[in-house]
Amino acid sequence: MRYVSTRGEAPVLGFEDVLLTGLARDGGLYVPESWPEFSAAEIRAMAGKSYREIALEVMMPFVGDAIDRPAMAEMVDRAYDSFDHRAVVPLRQIGDNDWLLELFHGPTLAFKDVAMQLLGRLFDHVLSRRGERVTIVGATSGDTGSAAIEGCRGRDAIDIFILYPHGRVSDIQRRQMTTTGDPNVHCIALDGTFDDCQDLLKALFNDGGFRDRLRLSAVNSINWARVMAQIVYYFAAAVRLGGPDRPMAFTVPTGNFGDIFAGYAAQRMGLPIQLLRVATNRNDILARFFSSGDYRMGEVSPTMSPSMDIQISSNFERLLFDLCDRDGTAVHTKMAAFKQSGAFSVDPEQLATARQVFDAHRVDEDETLDTISESYRAAGLLIDPHTAIGIKAAAVKRPDPTIPMISLATAHPAKFPESVARAVGLRPRLPARLAGLLERDENRVRLGNDFDAVRRFISDNARILRNGS
Ligand SMILES: *Cc1c(COP(=O)(O)O)cnc(C)c1O
């Protein structure tokens, strides 16, 4: 499989390079040159197979001959061994025709583990084979950092450095990052805000000499392999409910548009998905786009669902590319307008195309709390605020109520205990695997918001330089 940039100017790459590169050199995102397609018979044959088997089948066309099938199978098996539910992503019935796909049984209790557990292994495999190493640097406001660390800890070819704002992430989030005990994991508590962390990260990547010497790399949500790994659960859920012989609908709590874009990819690959419903909190740039065709940045406003507090959904550019008939120049023009004025719009025909499969709903904070408490009262089910936003949006009138609606549960309720307690008066218990979390030793370094200090810390601790390679 070959990959092209959404802005049409970066070199066409194979899977390995797309994995290691992340952002394309022209500022665009990589997408497959064409969508692999599965026939109805091929999808039908997935019924009854394990999650691991379905994962291998869905992902191999994207990997192509970059990684052989047995090696890929081994990585898939190990990645999903780290989940503490036998079904990996269990499907729970929550209404007559409503289902919840639990994506939070991985090591950090959020759906990002589904992709990160595989990504760390893919990086290590490809790098070891090339005899190379990378230094992964990331900034986090909480969730992404721990999923990235869990995916990369203990891997020979990787050192990982995560910057987070000191005192501004929850105890659980911080401890998930700082207690791994792995020597290739480095947590930096920065005296500053999340935006300071992101600015510093950008500055590190913009320092060309430093970037090349340390072979800096990122595992942020625009990495194609993350989207690829997320396509799998759309197939796995649909075949459990009678797909492809029955259409399905999905509701997805959305921030960066990565998770729901994977659903769109599944549809392009032949899965009969009738509706993909975007659920947003009050940071609703996407909800506004799908109603007006106008993509316009607003102020980010903090909510109980911090992983969706986003006003620029980076993966949206991948959908835009298809809406522009895969014309990179057209995407480039729109993104340039967005950079300049914070807005662009699509024409009515393009909006109509998008609305053939997408719709979107915004859910406010009171509705989120009400949905958490209602779900507990009616069914004894504890859900986290992100999942609640999805469930609330899924309940809005649907074009065809006979089609099963699958809502994605993106985080475990124990990851957001304060909000859950506020709604139901009860703190959800941490799953057994995290039971000792609050007693484990923490390992982190606290640094000022100082480019040179951070840069020096990374140089001093990355194995690339220590080994002189
Ligand atoms: C990251 C995240 C989301 C948003 O997913 P996107 O792919 O960015 O749209 C939703 N819920 C939780 C719990 C997350 O961690």
Side-chain angles (χ1 to χ4, degrees):
M1 175 66 74
R2 286 149 44 96
Y3 292 84
V4 297
S5 163
T6 50
R7 300 197 191 171
E9 278 161 34
V12 175
L13 298 181
F15 178 76
E16 271 189 31
D17 289 312
V18 163
L19 173 74
L20 300 176
T21 304
L23 196 69
R25 228 182 293 162
D26 57 7
L29 279 65
Y30 277 105
V31 286
E33 198 166 42
S34 61
W35 293 108
E37 281 186 43
F38 288 86
S39 68
E42 285 169 321
I43 299 170
R44 210 170 284 128
M46 292 178 191
K49 291 198 173 162
S50 70
Y51 187 81
R52 293 163 175 82
E53 289 169 310
I54 295 174
L56 192 61
E57 248 164 77
V58 169
M59 291 191 286
M60 271 323 282
F62 293 111
V63 173
D65 49 19
I67 298 171
D68 63 37
R69 200 177 169 94
M72 186 71 183
E74 173 72 16
M75 284 185 271
V76 166
D77 285 352
R78 292 289 87 79
Y80 299 118
D81 284 350
S82 74
F83 279 58
D84 68 2
H85 195 290
R86 286 218 184 142
V88 184
V89 295
L91 192 59
R92 180 198 285 264
Q93 186 160 16
I94 56 168
D96 288 336
N97 211 12
D98 285 78
W99 305 77
L100 193 63
L101 184 63
E102 295 182 356
L103 302 173
F104 53 66
H105 293 277
T108 74
L109 313 183
F111 88 95
K112 292 187 174 69
D113 289 326
V114 177
M116 285 295 192
Q117 283 298 311
L118 185 66
L119 207 69
R121 289 171 169 87
L122 288 170
F123 260 78
D124 213 38
H125 177 84
V126 166
L127 290 166
S128 308
R129 204 169 54 188
R130 293 180 170 191
E132 294 174 9
R133 302 169 147 284
V134 291
T135 305
I136 289 177
V137 190
T140 188
S141 56
D143 274 354
T144 312
S146 57
I149 285 172
E150 279 295 330
C152 295
R153 64 187 281 198
R155 311 242 159 266
D156 287 340
I158 303 173
D159 290 302
I160 180 164
F161 295 79
I162 297 291
L163 294 153
Y164 68 87
H166 177 74
R168 291 173 198 245
V169 303
S170 77
D171 273 8
I172 292 179
Q173 286 174 326
R174 188 192 67 245
R175 288 184 156 275
Q176 281 186 315
M177 297 191 276
T178 57
T179 59
T180 65
D182 284 284
N184 74 328
V185 172
H186 305 275
C187 298
I188 301 174
L190 196 83
D191 283 318
T193 63
F194 173 57
D195 286 337
D196 294 329
C197 294
Q198 278 199 304
D199 288 346
L200 236 158
L201 185 70
K202 256 187 229 148
L204 291 169
F205 274 92
N206 284 336
D207 180 342
F210 181 73
R211 188 184 62 209
D212 293 345
R213 224 161 1 102
L214 287 246
R215 310 216 180 98
L216 289 198
S217 184
V219 290
N220 48 17
S221 89
I222 52 97
N223 193 298
W224 167 255
R226 282 183 61 178
V227 175
M228 171 185 83
Q230 291 167 8
I231 298 170
V232 175
Y233 46 73
Y234 288 89
F235 278 88
V239 298
R240 273 184 233 157
L241 293 181
D245 299 304
R246 236 174 137 195
M248 300 289 153
F250 289 88
T251 297
V252 186
T254 295
N256 244 326
F257 206 72
D259 201 2
I260 199 163
F261 184 78
Y264 167 79
Q267 196 227 22
R268 296 298 304 258
M269 292 164 71
L271 197 66
I273 296 179
Q274 184 247 3
L275 172 65
L276 288 167
R277 178 164 283 176
V278 176
T280 76
N281 62 25
R282 67 174 168 237
N283 298 293
D284 63 349
I285 181 169
L286 289 166
R288 287 182 281 116
F289 171 78
F290 285 108
S291 72
S292 68
D294 193 31
Y295 189 79
R296 184 175 296 274
M297 192 159 67
E299 283 279 301
V300 178
S301 145
T303 69
M304 281 179 287
S305 45
S307 301
M308 295 158 63
D309 290 346
I310 283 169
Q311 278 290 4
I312 303 177
S313 298
S314 20
N315 277 288
F316 182 73
E317 184 168 336
R318 290 191 158 113
L319 177 67
L320 187 64
F321 184 59
D322 275 7
L323 294 178
C324 294
D325 291 322
R326 310 205 121 212
D327 173 357
T329 312
V331 173
H332 188 113
T333 307
K334 289 205 189 303
M335 294 313 295
F338 186 69
K339 191 166 178 193
Q340 221 202 351
S341 68
F344 66 77
S345 49
V346 300
D347 64 41
E349 223 171 86
Q350 290 170 317
L351 180 61
T353 305
R355 284 164 64 158
Q356 280 171 8
V357 63
F358 288 98
D359 72 7
H361 292 283
R362 159 197 161 123
V363 176
D364 69 28
E365 296 287 276
D366 285 343
E367 291 171 316
T368 306
L369 281 176
D370 287 348
T371 306
I372 297 174
S373 86
E374 173 59 22
S375 134
Y376 185 63
R377 220 163 31 84
L381 184 69
L382 285 177
I383 52 174
D384 98 286
H386 304 78
T387 303
I389 287 173
I391 289 180
K392 176 70 185 176
V396 175
K397 191 171 176 312
R398 313 201 283 250
D400 182 348
T402 68
I403 291 175
M405 173 59 88
I406 302 165
S407 294
L408 306 196
T410 51
H412 190 288
K415 199 146 192 188
F416 298 94
E418 286 77 21
S419 303
V420 176
R422 231 175 103 198
V424 305
L426 175 108
R427 273 180 87 87
R429 272 205 309 174
L430 273 178
R433 69 195 307 168
L434 291 177
L437 189 69
L438 300 178
E439 284 83 51
R440 286 178 210 153
D441 286 342
E442 291 193 70
N443 198 342
R444 62 183 192 269
V445 54
R446 185 167 164 189
L447 296 178
N449 182 11
D450 172 359
F451 176 73
D452 290 323
V454 172
R455 191 172 175 276
R456 189 164 346 104
F457 178 78
I458 296 174
S459 294
D460 287 349
N461 289 281
R463 287 178 295 181
I464 277 187
L465 294 185
R466 283 215 307 273
N467 295 349
S469 61

